[in-house]
Amino acid sequence: MGNPGCGKTTVGKILGEKLNRTVIDVDDDVLEPTWRMSVSEKLFDVGGERFLEEEGQALCNFPTPTKSVISLSGSNPLHQKAMRHTKQNGVMIFLDVPQTDILDRLEKMKVDRIVGQEAGIGMAEILNYRQSFYEKQHDIRVTCCSGDTPEIIASKLLSALKNVHNDPGYVSTRGSDCDQPSTFLDTVLQGLAKDGGLFVRSTELPTMPRYEQQRLIDMNYSDRALRILHRWINPLEIPGGQLRDFVLKAYSKEAFQDAHVAPVRHLEKNQYLLELFHGPTASFKDYALQLMPQLFSKAVRNNDKHSKYLILVATSGDTGGAVLDGFRRHSGTVFNDTGVIVLYPLSGISELQKHQMTTMDGRNISVVGVNSNFDFCQSTIKQIFNDIEFNKTMKEQFNTKLSAANSLNWGRLIPQIVYHASGYLDLVKQRVIALGDEIDICVPTGNFGNILAAYYVKMMGFPIRKLICASNSNDVLTEFFITGCYNLRSRHLLKTSSPAIDILKSSNLERLLYHTSGNNGELIKNLYQDLQDHNHFSVSEEHLRKLQSMFVVGSCSEEECKSTIVQTLKNTGYLLDPHTAVAKTVADRYTSDVPTLITATAHYGKFGDSMLPWVDRHCVSDYTSEVVLNRLNDMSSHPPLHLGLKDMCQKPITHTVQCQPDIQDITKYVVDIARKM
Ligand SMILES: *Cc1c(COP(=O)(O)O)cnc(C)c1O
């Protein structure tokens, strides 16, 4: 499938030969024999509209043979019924040739049989209109570039087919070779691997050649996302047309208040901010959680239509709001059968974070304040998960399965790959760099999910030089990347003003260690056994050197964080949130001769309570959240006020359940919810 002049007919013939299959060219083998006249004669006989209908009918009446290669006409995809008929037994491949090339070719070929031409519509307009049908209908996209010969296109197509059919699937980081790999959607439903490890690609990581990166530069966020995600998601599991739907819904105007979704803005010198707080709940977690529930719904529909799901979430502040908003908006038809329970610590999160969760509306949503800390919430949920008896009872009595939407879920990780790549492409688009030039990426890091996604972008072949991993005073990662020893002995969690990265067990590091150890599941299993038994593990000298060749680390004290916020506001007018300030502090220390992209992971508004006294000498302590937001907004020229946060201040609190740190009570509550669902 593809535009007129994209090479469908010739490529189809080459494919037929190579795969030893019958070749059917719709124009020559279906339409002209049916009509007993040429396609252009027909078009001028009956006019465009009638033509499309008759063309569609002809294809519907044609019994689709299996084991064949079919070259469609350029206009077939405009006829829904014909496409459904043709797709029954096969995959739809879109030869995505740049439009400028198509225009050149059509000009040279003096083509006169394209629907729309007869009505005098300009060719570029016709092509644009058609593109949207190809996008909707395709399963697999083959990206072609200027000057690709039919032979080259055919070989790209064959390798794309090989990739989807030989998909190695996902294994556990702690698994052995004999593991049965899981599919992508399995990993989304399951969350964690059965042996306690994390799901990873079992073979090489996907790449994206430079010519495909080039095609992305002028695209918007959703189009970039579609193409990047399809490097990671097998189109046989989620076809292109459907993934496109998901992406368009996720990154819509309704959810993201900046039209660029994840804009890049110059901060100072060679530092640029990748603003990831324009989503509905004002942290970067929205970028994953506006997409993930749609993947989850699909997985439920595909694999397990008959169970209900109850998603348990422990949050240290940002995850809860993002999960609730994502599931509320997007779980689509299965939402009736999917519930979410969020446990949050009554102390230790900001007022606005709390308000965000307790005012969230939507069906099957429960928000519970626990009179304890995040660790208790997290470990309670793990215990409930690992309680085999309890899970069995839930299934038998309420037909309900438990699931997790935490940052270890693979379905939450891959959407994060997109924005780092998009940030790079925006720097090219803004002419800060040329395609191929290197940049550094700096990320405030807690559970290592965000920076791991940046590592994947580097592995895909985007020119990322160093990944700068920034910690606050909980600097266990900084120590690890310097010494090779991950050491929790004699460490206790410190409370800081950047609470989302107050983490000592940085779980996604496990995935990085797997990839950089040559996919050595045995080694990872031993390392994490060491961590559990002795509270520390060490990697080999060689392994450490490999990590150090890619990662730069640093930590930021509370004083430094505050002073970075104040200084940056003074120098640039820009108000950083405390997490982004941690990253900037570390990036400042690592003087770099290439542009540094700092990921701005939250909007300052979420942490206004603690920040206002730092930047506003005249503030008093009993402002309402809304006044805090307004005062901060008055003091800074950027970024703009987050309207979602402002609106939320007005919303009434609807979730008032609080409980003592007692696992029995919480379990009872979970049962209650399952019963009502
Ligand atoms: C979750 C979060 C982080 C930490 O991201 P990880 O992927 O866990 O490393 C950083 N900043 C903010 C604002 C967050 O909400």
Side-chain angles (χ1 to χ4, degrees):
M1 171 178 74
N3 265 310
C6 75
K8 295 184 294 287
T9 308
T10 324
V11 171
K13 282 189 188 130
I14 300 174
L15 231 59
E17 249 165 59
K18 295 215 166 165
L19 301 172
N20 196 18
R21 298 194 165 191
T22 322
V23 178
I24 295 155
D25 182 78
V26 169
D27 276 345
D28 293 351
D29 302 329
V30 180
L31 299 180
E32 301 204 341
T34 306
W35 292 336
R36 291 166 213 238
M37 61 171 92
S38 77
V39 168
S40 54
E41 280 166 350
K42 184 77 176 180
L43 177 59
F44 282 93
D45 253 20
V46 301
E49 208 169 314
R50 185 82 219 128
F51 176 91
L52 285 181
E53 190 46 43
E54 287 196 29
E55 182 189 52
Q57 265 316 321
L59 196 58
C60 286
N61 295 339
F62 184 75
T64 335
T66 52
K67 300 264 173 226
S68 56
V69 178
I70 304 176
S71 297
L72 294 180
S73 82
S75 51
N76 279 150
L78 278 61
H79 196 278
Q80 282 243 0
K81 193 162 153 230
M83 289 307 274
R84 269 202 304 275
H85 170 76
T86 314
K87 266 166 118 171
Q88 276 166 30
N89 306 315
V91 287
M92 194 62 72
I93 299 167
F94 171 27
L95 303 185
D96 186 4
V97 175
Q99 239 182 57
T100 43
D101 283 43
I102 299 279
L103 284 170
D104 279 357
R105 280 182 222 171
L106 293 179
E107 178 82 33
K108 283 200 199 101
M109 287 155 61
K110 305 241 178 307
V111 171
D112 63 352
R113 50 186 225 181
I114 296 176
V115 177
Q117 264 186 318
E118 84 291 351
I121 301 171
M123 193 52 78
E125 198 180 325
I126 295 179
L127 296 184
N128 270 335
Y129 178 69
R130 288 190 170 193
Q131 180 86 11
S132 69
F133 288 88
Y134 304 147
E135 293 288 349
K136 271 184 215 147
Q137 296 287 354
H138 80 286
D139 295 319
I140 301 175
R141 177 196 310 272
V142 174
T143 304
C144 312
C145 46
S146 297
D148 274 0
T149 60
E151 286 75 20
I152 292 177
I153 297 178
S155 79
K156 282 183 178 175
L157 198 161
L158 284 169
S159 98
L161 276 178
K162 207 167 108 202
N163 280 341
V164 301
H165 286 297
N166 302 341
D167 182 358
Y170 294 86
V171 297
S172 165
T173 44
R174 302 182 197 175
S176 50
D177 292 340
C178 54
D179 269 3
Q180 181 72 17
S182 300
T183 65
F184 171 72
L185 290 173
D186 285 342
T187 71
V188 173
L189 270 191
Q190 277 186 47
L192 275 182
K194 289 204 177 70
D195 59 3
L198 310 181
F199 286 114
V200 274
R201 280 265 174 161
S202 58
T203 52
E204 292 133 72
L205 300 170
T207 57
M208 181 176 258
R210 201 55 45 89
Y211 69 84
E212 281 193 43
Q213 297 174 16
Q214 171 83 45
R215 289 280 297 274
L216 300 183
I217 295 169
D218 288 322
M219 288 181 188
N220 65 24
Y221 191 83
S222 297
D223 284 329
R224 287 174 181 172
L226 175 59
R227 287 158 175 83
I228 291 166
L229 290 173
H230 247 178
R231 293 271 140 184
W232 293 84
I233 299 175
N234 190 335
L236 297 184
E237 279 197 87
I238 307 184
Q242 187 172 42
L243 188 60
R244 178 170 174 272
D245 273 355
F246 290 172
V247 162
L248 289 176
K249 278 192 199 127
Y251 304 113
S252 70
K253 281 206 296 287
E254 287 70 43
F256 286 82
Q257 79 173 36
D258 189 293
H260 296 285
V261 182
V264 170
R265 167 194 294 281
H266 182 235
L267 184 61
E268 58 176 355
K269 291 173 268 186
N270 63 357
Q271 291 179 339
Y272 295 79
L273 290 174
L274 175 61
E275 292 184 342
L276 299 179
F277 47 71
H278 294 290
T281 71
S283 87
F284 81 88
K285 294 183 170 76
D286 287 326
Y287 291 75
L289 282 161
Q290 289 296 314
L291 189 63
M292 196 267 197
Q294 303 185 69
L295 304 174
F296 189 87
S297 281
K298 160 116 183 146
V300 171
R301 259 176 283 151
N302 270 26
N303 301 6
D304 194 10
K305 259 201 282 268
H306 306 294
S307 302
K308 296 179 182 179
Y309 274 84
L310 196 50
I311 295 168
L312 303 186
V313 184
T315 182
S316 64
D318 285 333
T319 296
V323 170
L324 290 170
D325 190 277
F327 273 87
R328 182 176 69 118
R329 275 177 213 253
H330 296 299
S331 33
T333 52
V334 295
F335 188 59
N336 285 342
D337 294 330
T338 305
V340 182
I341 298 181
V342 173
L343 301 185
Y344 71 91
L346 279 170
S347 66
I349 69 174
S350 81
E351 273 311 304
L352 246 101
Q353 287 177 317
K354 189 187 294 181
H355 200 72
Q356 195 166 59
M357 290 186 277
T358 52
T359 58
M360 197 69 78
D361 40 31
R363 294 184 54 193
N364 297 342
I365 282 175
S366 322
V367 182
V368 182
V370 183
N371 194 4
S372 181
N373 56 18
F374 169 67
D375 277 338
F376 176 83
C377 299
Q378 170 97 335
S379 68
T380 302
I381 281 182
K382 278 198 180 142
Q383 257 174 281
I384 295 179
F385 266 112
N386 295 336
D387 185 340
I388 297 171
E389 270 310 303
F390 180 69
N391 280 268
K392 220 172 116 199
T393 317
M394 290 288 279
K395 180 76 186 112
E396 283 170 6
Q397 291 194 3
F398 307 110
N399 188 30
T400 298
K401 287 187 183 170
L402 302 178
S403 185
N406 58 19
S407 73
L408 307 179
N409 191 306
W410 183 246
R412 253 188 80 176
L413 205 71
I414 53 160
Q416 298 181 358
I417 294 170
V418 176
Y419 54 69
H420 293 295
S422 177
Y424 178 85
L425 294 162
D426 277 347
L427 286 175
V428 177
K429 190 168 180 176
Q430 294 173 15
R431 298 180 192 278
V432 176
I433 50 169
L435 183 65
D437 291 351
E438 291 187 314
I439 64 163
D440 294 334
I441 289 183
C442 180
V443 185
T445 298
N447 225 8
F448 213 78
N450 201 354
I451 198 166
L452 182 72
Y455 164 80
Y456 285 142
V457 171
K458 180 176 166 69
M459 292 297 107
M460 284 182 87
F462 283 85
I464 314 295
R465 190 182 62 172
K466 296 284 184 194
L467 299 156
I468 307 174
C469 173
S471 311
N472 61 21
S473 325
N474 295 296
D475 57 355
V476 60
L477 282 168
T478 305
E479 184 186 45
F480 170 71
F481 278 95
I482 291 168
T483 65
C485 178
Y486 197 90
N487 189 359
L488 296 178
R489 289 171 297 187
S490 74
R491 264 189 194 270
H492 52 274
L493 195 68
L494 304 170
K495 251 192 169 136
T496 73
S497 48
S498 43
I501 56 174
D502 286 346
I503 287 181
L504 288 179
K505 234 182 133 192
S506 185
S507 307
N508 272 304
L509 179 69
E510 184 169 340
R511 286 190 164 111
L512 177 72
L513 296 179
Y514 178 85
H515 298 306
T516 48
S517 66
N519 300 355
N520 188 342
E522 207 47 44
L523 172 78
I524 304 303
K525 187 169 146 196
N526 292 335
L527 293 182
Y528 281 84
Q529 194 63 50
D530 283 347
L531 189 64
Q532 192 178 331
D533 296 345
H534 310 292
N535 250 344
H536 68 105
F537 67 70
S538 295
V539 298
S540 70
E541 194 60 37
E542 189 198 345
H543 197 167
L544 179 61
R545 268 199 303 276
K546 189 162 186 183
L547 294 171
Q548 288 172 340
S549 71
M550 294 181 271
F551 286 83
V552 174
V553 288
S555 71
C556 167
S557 69
E558 288 296 280
E559 264 319 298
E560 285 172 311
C561 174
K562 183 171 149 185
S563 129
T564 296
I565 289 174
V566 174
Q567 279 309 316
T568 307
L569 183 62
K570 206 162 116 201
N571 297 345
T572 69
Y574 195 99
L575 191 51
L576 302 167
D577 97 292
H579 303 82
T580 314
V582 165
K584 174 162 165 52
T585 307
V586 173
D588 281 342
R589 226 177 284 149
Y590 179 69
T591 43
S592 169
D593 49 356
V594 301
T596 303
L597 196 58
I598 298 171
T599 46
T601 50
H603 192 276
Y604 66 78
K606 279 194 117 166
F607 306 95
D609 288 345
S610 52
M611 282 172 60
L612 188 62
W614 302 347
V615 291
D616 181 357
R617 267 181 296 133
H618 308 293
C619 85
V620 294
S621 60
D622 57 353
Y623 289 141
T624 63
S625 296
E626 195 171 6
V627 174
V628 171
L629 281 183
N630 286 335
R631 282 189 85 95
L632 285 170
N633 184 50
D634 288 344
M635 304 186 68
S636 64
S637 46
H638 292 293
L641 202 62
H642 191 285
L643 299 176
L645 289 183
K646 194 174 154 75
D647 287 349
M648 196 192 67
C649 293
Q650 307 286 349
K651 278 173 74 179
I653 291 175
T654 49
H655 301 275
T656 51
V657 180
Q658 300 192 349
C659 69
Q660 292 308 314
D662 176 354
I663 184 159
Q664 236 83 53
D665 276 4
I666 294 174
T667 313
K668 239 189 264 157
Y669 186 76
V670 172
V671 171
D672 242 24
I673 297 291
R675 180 179 294 129
K676 285 187 203 137
M677 235 167 54

